[in-house]
């Protein structure tokens, strides 16, 4: 047997994800929670149409990726899942925290369509990926093997409140297209605030696509204060 | 944007899997198909009890691992899934083939119990892992996110025949314990033969735990010819 402590495996990305999330704050905490969050995985040119033949027969795909932005931050054995209000600690292997011994992520995304060109592009929805995420693998979702509706989900079964979202009259959302409105509303309904800042009377700014979205929360409602284009600055 | 083609990420195993499968031939083609296949993941000593706190609240865990035995064999863009009889080609990203651009596997195993000691041990069932498999990550299965019973499963929805298993009278299975009998029967029912050798009147030998299992198939029945201890040789 090899000495596992000395072994190291090298993986190179097969492509990159393009998503509406230029920064971590505001990204849904699991895949599928924000259906309006579209991602495009652009495969490297070496992976031609053959490599995805038959993938369009599947509704969902597993995306295995690198938590590249937190890669250098290391991990703790214990983490505080946001779902538990940030007060209770769970072991890193009992959570989907990005701060892991191997900073690998796993997301289940809905495959909307495949575009064939010089680079194959997979159009996906329900994304929880940072823009620029390096992709390590794509695998089909196997419902007869991987669907376990009666499985115990531990602390993740705790009731998660979804917030109401209100646009303040002065928030100037007139110029936004329908997809962006849906993306903003679904993202905010998931309550992006850090658990320790709940209950504080504070404004937050979340970046969605090319917009800064300013909002604040009062009880179970998010009020959108303004949406400004980041490219206008 | 970084040039993704030049990037490489290094991952070190967090532990190793001990399984009844010393060789590839006979391993179930997906996790969960052979419930009697027990695996023990032995975490490296640096990962103490804290790192798995709360994991026992979950029924299933994702095991991310390296296909270490086929790592050096590279990949093809097109593969012939055994389920399709070996005659039809699908893209590598539309299959769970071990021959992938990044030789990473993903298995959903049932968590039976956790043993706390100098090394944490996770006892799992439904394993489809080679003995000695390097483990990269353990993640909880999130049923509210990852259970999609109505999802389309593409070609994997094709009818899979399960074979009948018969012990020939001279097969000397008297000394085997119940778990080993179940493991052998469940493994053979899945038809481990390569698709191109179906219909051939041929004996096969499969290694299960410390046994060589000789068998042959006639139509939809597997006949077990003999079970001999590999350590007696």
């Amino acid at each position: 047997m090899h000495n596992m402590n000395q072994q190291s495996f090298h993986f190179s990305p097969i492509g990159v994800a393009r998503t509406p999330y230029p920064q971590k704050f505001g990204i849904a905490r699991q895949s599928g929670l924000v259906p309006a969050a579209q991602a495009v995985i652009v495969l490297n040119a070496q992976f031609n149409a053959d490599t995805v033949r038959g993938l369009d027969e599947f509704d969902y795909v597993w995306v295995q990726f690198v938590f590249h932005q937190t890669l250098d931050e290391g991990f703790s054995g214990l983490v505080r899942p946001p779902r538990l209000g940030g007060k209770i600690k769970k072991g890193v292997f009992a959570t989907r925290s990005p701060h892991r011994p191997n900073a690998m992520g796993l997301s289940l995304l809905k495959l909307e369509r495949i575009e064939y060109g010089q680079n194959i592009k997979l159009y996906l929805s329900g994304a929880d990926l940072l823009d620029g995420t390096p992709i390590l693998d794509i695998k089909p979702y196997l419902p007869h093997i991987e669907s376990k509706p009666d499985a115990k989900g531990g602390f993740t079964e705790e009731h998660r409140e979804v917030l109401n979202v209100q646009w303040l009259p002065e928030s100037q959302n007139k110029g936004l297209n329908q997809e962006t409105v849906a993306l903003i509303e679904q993202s905010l309904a998931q309550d992006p605030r850090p658990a320790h800042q709940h209950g504080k009377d504070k404004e937050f700014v979340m970046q969605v696509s090319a917009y800064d979205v300013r909002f604040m929360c009062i009880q179970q409602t998010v009020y959108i204060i303004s949406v400004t284009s980041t490219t206008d600055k």
Side-chain angles (χ1 to χ4, degrees), chain A:
Chain A
M1 183 191 151
H2 298 212
N3 183 336
M4 288 294 166
N5 293 306
Q6 295 179 354
Q7 251 179 322
S8 174
F9 296 96
H10 301 207
F11 297 108
S12 294
I14 60 166
V16 64
R18 291 292 151 212
T19 81
Y21 299 120
Q23 55 177 224
K24 268 198 304 174
F25 179 69
I27 299 182
R29 292 189 174 104
Q30 301 299 337
S31 53
L33 295 175
V34 176
Q38 308 279 330
V40 184
I41 291 180
V42 183
L43 296 185
N44 294 347
Q46 70 181 110
F47 301 110
N48 61 16
D50 278 351
T51 66
V52 296
R53 187 190 295 177
L55 188 60
D56 55 3
E57 299 170 24
F58 295 86
D59 277 340
Y60 290 88
V61 296
W62 291 111
V63 177
Q64 293 183 274
F65 61 95
V66 179
F67 289 114
H68 64 301
Q69 203 176 75
T70 47
L71 191 61
D72 301 329
E73 295 173 9
F75 77 100
S76 309
L78 290 167
V79 301
R80 299 170 188 269
R83 179 174 282 249
L84 297 175
K87 293 197 180 80
I88 296 169
K89 291 180 181 175
K90 297 287 178 184
V92 62
F93 295 127
T95 77
R96 303 288 281 253
S97 166
H99 296 95
R100 317 184 68 75
N102 287 314
M104 300 166 47
L106 176 67
S107 289
L108 184 61
L109 303 190
K110 189 157 194 295
L111 179 61
E112 303 289 350
R113 64 189 176 91
I114 302 176
E115 194 178 284
Y116 301 87
Q118 193 174 0
N119 293 75
I120 301 290
K121 294 180 179 175
L122 307 181
Y123 287 79
L124 306 150
S125 61
D128 57 346
L129 305 173
L130 201 60
D131 187 41
T133 292
I135 304 302
L136 297 177
D137 205 359
I138 304 287
K139 294 178 164 82
Y141 176 73
L142 309 180
H144 64 293
I145 297 288
E146 298 172 330
S147 187
K148 304 278 185 190
D150 301 325
K152 280 192 292 171
F155 67 85
T156 66
E157 287 170 359
E158 298 285 320
H159 179 62
R160 155 165 289 184
E161 300 223 37
V162 175
L163 302 179
N164 303 311
V165 179
Q166 296 262 349
W167 295 82
L168 291 180
E170 60 271 34
S171 63
Q172 300 169 306
N173 67 337
K174 297 296 180 209
L176 301 177
N177 65 33
Q178 205 178 325
E179 288 74 23
T180 305
V181 170
L183 176 57
I184 291 172
E185 291 182 350
Q186 291 174 17
S187 297
L188 292 178
Q190 292 291 324
D191 196 354
R193 296 172 298 163
H196 64 272
Q197 297 195 327
H198 285 196
K200 293 192 184 168
D201 195 17
K202 188 182 159 182
E203 279 183 30
F204 295 87
V205 181
M206 173 185 154
Q207 284 191 14
V208 177
S209 297
Y211 297 98
D212 282 341
V213 180
R214 282 173 61 225
F215 67 94
M216 64 185 300
C217 299
I218 301 175
Q219 293 170 347
Q220 297 312 306
T221 302
V222 188
Y223 295 94
I224 302 174
I225 299 163
S226 71
V227 177
T228 50
S229 168
T230 51
T231 53
D232 287 353
K233 279 180 198 167

